[in-house]
Amino acid sequence: MAERQGVQGAIWNDRAVRLLELLGWDHIGDKNMDLKGIDEEFHGIDALACYESPGIDLKQSCLVESKKYAMGSLSATIVKGWIETLKQKIEVLSQSEDVLTEFPKLQDCCDIDLGIIMCWVHDVSDESFFEKDFEKYLSKAAILTLAKPLAYRRIVVLTNPKIIRLCSMATILQDNAYDYKFVYPSQLIKDKPLSRTKVLTIEYALSDFILAEREKKASKGEKECVIFYFGQIRQEAFMSMHEALTMFNFLEVDKNLVIYHYEDSDDSRIVMSDMEKFFSNVKVSFEPMTRFELSKEPAILKTNSK
């Protein structure tokens, strides 16, 4: 049983890293490594990654931990342990000369101050588990693990709902007909100049709407504005979105706007049909995203790494 769990955990780790690669992140080194910290001890990590962020001058580096659990095996204590352990690993590895020597690529990165926990619950049937139970686990863990020396360390936990939504977006990005780039308005990157890049930062990954631009590969120069929208389709939400797009100067009269939406129901389609009035000077179209099963690992994660 333990051996089987180990194999399943290794497979999920491969798929967690694959998702980060699909978002434009670079995987550093191998997987399931033992790295020597400033405490002279070796610490096991599932993966090490980095990416270029428009908001900072150096690359963002991070430790990645992959967890595959059954619902009944999860608790506030378990989640608290994950977060405490990962914070401690960041603390002892971020300043390690041994780690920097082993992975020269980290010399172009900021000190490791980010940890990503990719948690896949394989027997969950409803998102309400994450909205209620798992959120309680996280809130208790955050309160109990906010030790002062580690308070600046960021730990982000991604679970099934966010993972399958990011996979839905990644499926679109794999479309051979278009070349996609994420758009970072100045307001989102500390007043730096607007940036277009194939990399999705962790901050953007957590957002309910992500701005992008696409260009047809067959006809270079023909570009369209794109929004990946994961929130609820309500009139108030679209009004707020339009205000944000106006503030970001994202909309252009000579560019079509494509809104990919995750929610897809009869009620949402009625709302969308009435929302074109908010984009009166722009040709807008609404396209549904692929919806993956909540407890079935998306096929896009099972392909070979790039």
Side-chain angles (χ1 to χ4, degrees), residues 153-167:
R153 309 298 188 190
R154 294 183 297 159
I155 306 294
V156 175
V157 182
L158 302 181
T159 56
N160 302 40
K162 176 57 70 175
I163 290 169
I164 62 175
R165 283 163 173 77
L166 291 174
C167 286

Side-chain angles (χ1 to χ4, degrees), residues 18 20-21 29 36 61 68 71 87 123 127 148 152 159 195 229 242 246 269 279 283:
R18 176 59 179 157
L20 298 180
E21 291 177 331
K36 189 176 181 180
S61 57
K68 187 171 184 179
M71 277 197 311
K87 282 184 176 180
D123 59 350
E127 290 194 12
K148 289 184 180 179
Y152 66 97
T159 56
S195 177
Y229 183 65
H242 186 268
T246 302
R269 285 189 284 272
F279 305 95
K283 183 180 178 181

Side-chain angles (χ1 to χ4, degrees), residues 259-299:
I259 300 178
Y260 286 102
H261 54 93
Y262 192 78
E263 182 181 342
D264 189 28
S265 63
D266 290 340
D267 289 343
S268 66
R269 285 189 284 272
I270 292 173
V271 173
M272 285 185 289
S273 67
D274 195 41
M275 286 301 101
E276 293 186 15
K277 65 185 178 184
F278 288 104
F279 305 95
S280 56
N281 296 320
V282 178
K283 183 180 178 181
V284 60
S285 60
F286 296 89
E287 300 289 342
M289 295 190 211
T290 299
R291 293 176 64 93
F292 292 105
E293 294 180 39
L294 186 61
S295 59
K296 185 177 181 180
E297 296 168 23

Side-chain angles (χ1 to χ4, degrees), residues 102-268:
E102 186 172 356
F103 305 108
K105 195 169 187 176
L106 287 174
Q107 296 175 13
D108 298 326
C109 303
C110 65
D111 291 341
I112 301 171
D113 64 354
L114 173 64
I116 308 291
I117 298 174
M118 301 280 261
C119 174
W120 185 262
V121 182
H122 63 79
D123 59 350
V124 66
S125 59
D126 194 291
E127 290 194 12
S128 62
F129 167 76
F130 298 99
E131 296 166 357
K132 298 176 182 177
D133 298 86
F134 201 88
E135 279 301 316
K136 288 181 181 177
Y137 301 160
L138 283 178
S139 62
K140 291 180 180 179
I143 292 171
L144 294 173
T145 62
L146 198 58
K148 289 184 180 179
L150 307 180
Y152 66 97
R153 309 298 188 190
R154 294 183 297 159
I155 306 294
V156 175
V157 182
L158 302 181
T159 56
N160 302 40
K162 176 57 70 175
I163 290 169
I164 62 175
R165 283 163 173 77
L166 291 174
C167 286
S168 294
M169 181 179 68
T171 301
I172 296 168
L173 300 178
Q174 296 285 292
D175 184 353
N176 290 325
Y178 293 94
D179 185 35
Y180 286 85
K181 288 185 177 180
F182 299 111
V183 176
Y184 292 81
S186 176
Q187 296 91 333
L188 298 183
I189 51 175
K190 304 175 183 177
D191 294 327
K192 293 178 180 288
L194 180 145
S195 177
R196 296 177 178 86
T197 173
K198 290 183 176 293
V199 178
L200 187 74
T201 65
I202 189 60
E203 294 83 7
Y204 228 168
L206 297 173
S207 174
D208 271 344
F209 80 97
I210 296 169
L211 308 181
E213 183 179 83
R214 73 181 187 184
E215 182 178 17
K216 281 189 176 180
K217 293 181 179 179
S219 56
K220 290 291 185 180
E222 185 179 337
K223 298 179 179 178
E224 296 177 311
C225 298
V226 176
I227 298 173
F228 296 102
Y229 183 65
F230 301 102
Q232 293 184 326
I233 296 179
R234 302 289 183 269
Q235 182 170 335
E236 297 79 7
F238 271 82
M239 290 173 63
S240 298
M241 179 195 294
H242 186 268
E243 291 176 2
L245 298 177
T246 302
M247 180 181 68
F248 295 153
N249 293 316
F250 181 69
L251 300 176
E252 299 183 38
V253 174
D254 59 344
K255 283 186 182 179
N256 295 338
L257 172 64
V258 181
I259 300 178
Y260 286 102
H261 54 93
Y262 192 78
E263 182 181 342
D264 189 28
S265 63
D266 290 340
D267 289 343
S268 66

Side-chain angles (χ1 to χ4, degrees), residues 31-69:
K31 298 163 188 164
N32 302 309
M33 300 181 291
D34 290 320
L35 303 182
K36 189 176 181 180
I38 58 174
D39 59 354
E40 298 297 318
E41 299 290 336
F42 283 90
H43 301 268
I45 67 162
D46 291 335
L48 185 63
C50 70
Y51 62 84
E52 292 191 20
S53 172
I56 58 178
D57 296 328
L58 297 173
K59 292 182 179 180
Q60 174 69 62
S61 57
C62 74
L63 299 185
V64 181
E65 293 281 279
S66 305
K67 309 292 183 182
K68 187 171 184 179
Y69 271 67

